[in-house]
Amino acid sequence: MTSVGAGNLRIDADRLWASIMETAAIGATEKGGIKRLTLTDLDREVRNWFVARCENAGCSVSIDTLGNISARRPGRDNSLPPIAMGSHLDTQPTGGKFDGVIGVLSGLEVLRSLNDAGVETNAPLEVINWTNEEGSRFAPAMLSSGVFAGAFTPDYAYDREDREGKRFGDELIRIGYKGDEPCGARKLGAFFELHIEQGPILEAEERTIGIVTGVQGMRWYEVTVTGMDCHAGSTPMHLRQDALVATARMIAAVQSVGLAHAPDAVATVGLIEARPNSRNVIPGEVFFSIDLRHPQDTVVAAMEADLRHALDETVAGTRITFTFDRIWDSPAVHFDEACVSSVAAASEALGYSSRRITSGAGHDAAYIARVAPTTMIFVPCEKGISHNELEKAEPGDVAAGANVLLAAVLDTDARLYGPRDR
Ligand code: HGY
Ligand code: MN
Ligand code: MN
């Protein structure tokens, strides 16, 4: 059951919603979303906003060598590993107001509510903003939580380049968020991430809380297709080496692999660049991305094998060539059962409808689970729409998620370090 402190303690729902709307103005788009890509000036602006509010909530703030921000609220015994909450403040190019943001700002709201109630926890608490969760500007996703968990080296991260050739390491320095603390040096007692589901299940089943048990496996690839630039007007059809036509067949093959392993598999081409991208030149080169996902790693591997074969087939007998590089492999993750039980108990104690669920989207928690007991809490978003400016969550659901976060954190503090007297 949840600890004594969580019984009647609640977060301030209006203050939380106001903070979400305030940060939504940083990078706001005309269609009501947010464009706040990693390590841009807008990312620096929202980071500064977050640091200032954590400091005026009495936290000490530290920045590590990957720009991860940790805001620490002291506990009774500050030698204990902190119980952490968090997510990410970077967004997709056509992102919504809630993806990542509610996990960071609900963590801040938990600290503010504990301050208001004068509650002292055994262990310190922390709220963390992870750099480059989205992986949109710098692939792969969850890059800095991955370094924190030992999945990547700092130098690998620093050398990642965006599509304009800018280096992650240079941009991190440029916005002033390359800290001194070695990334990963900070040990966590537990980590909880509140996030919108980004899928349709909770809303369809009219459940308020998703008790997340894990994250599906995912792999990213980069393909470069090579034909030959030629004149669109004077090159007969049978003499062409059209890289974009070949790519179109490849994209159809990606779709077929996803459908062949449906309903649990997904396969996506999201990024494509045709070169020279001129309306009267036959494209001689095309670069595109592939994202494959499934709850079972063995199926992701089978999808990759099927895809490799299908891509070879699309160019058989032609002079088109291609390279196929796997740039990211994030195996399926199962969260810590004690943390999952804390979320389930909190949801029940607070009277929220809930169900267990596996995450289709990747999250920083997927990597943090490698180095600390970790789990997630989901709340619904309208029609499951996300990575879209229309993304929408209800204030009541966000508040419910934050109340579950508060209760689960207090429960874990009591479970790990003993009941508090206040
Ligand atoms: O790709 C993902 O699932 C996450 O949104 N970065
Ligand atoms: Mn996210
Ligand atoms: Mn996202």
Side-chain angles (χ1 to χ4, degrees), residues 87-88 99-100 133-134 193 195 198 362-363 387:
S87 191
H88 62 93
D99 174 1
E133 188 281 336
E134 290 294 359
E193 181 170 1
H195 207 287
Q198 299 179 295
H363 301 285
H387 284 192

Side-chain angles (χ1 to χ4, degrees), residues 81-271:
I83 296 171
M85 304 163 276
S87 191
H88 62 93
L89 292 171
D90 66 317
T91 76
Q92 287 287 337
T94 53
K97 296 187 180 74
F98 306 97
D99 174 1
V101 172
I102 69 166
V104 177
L105 299 190
S106 294
L108 171 60
E109 177 52 38
V110 164
L111 303 190
R112 285 170 159 173
S113 299
L114 292 172
N115 289 345
D116 294 347
V119 170
E120 183 184 52
T121 51
N122 295 297
L125 303 186
E126 289 193 357
V127 183
I128 302 173
N129 169 51
W130 299 106
T131 304
N132 192 41
E133 188 281 336
E134 290 294 359
S136 173
R137 183 181 178 198
F138 297 100
M142 298 118 76
L143 183 58
S144 302
S145 51
V147 172
F148 186 91
F152 310 112
T153 65
D155 285 344
Y156 168 83
Y158 294 146
D159 287 340
R160 303 305 292 164
E161 292 185 0
D162 67 11
R163 300 306 297 160
E164 292 167 12
K166 288 185 181 161
R167 283 179 72 251
F168 178 100
D170 299 339
E171 288 293 280
L172 184 65
I173 292 167
R174 185 185 69 80
I175 70 163
Y177 271 91
K178 183 173 182 180
D180 299 325
E181 180 182 296
C183 181
R186 177 179 290 264
K187 296 307 163 212
L188 305 179
F191 178 70
F192 291 86
E193 181 170 1
L194 170 61
H195 207 287
I196 50 172
E197 178 200 342
Q198 299 179 295
I201 296 170
L202 293 179
E203 183 186 59
E205 295 183 6
E206 296 182 350
R207 309 287 177 112
T208 305
I209 299 294
I211 302 164
V212 189
T213 55
V215 179
Q216 69 177 340
M218 52 195 83
R219 289 183 181 179
W220 282 7
Y221 308 85
E222 289 181 346
V223 181
T224 300
V225 184
T226 305
M228 192 167 86
D229 298 1
C230 241
H231 198 295
S234 49
T235 311
M237 293 306 282
H238 69 286
L239 295 180
R240 295 178 173 215
Q241 297 171 47
D242 188 328
L244 191 51
V245 169
T247 300
R249 293 195 190 100
M250 292 181 174
I251 294 171
V254 171
Q255 169 84 343
S256 301
V257 165
L259 291 171
H261 294 273
D264 293 333
V266 286
T268 313
V269 173
L271 169 67

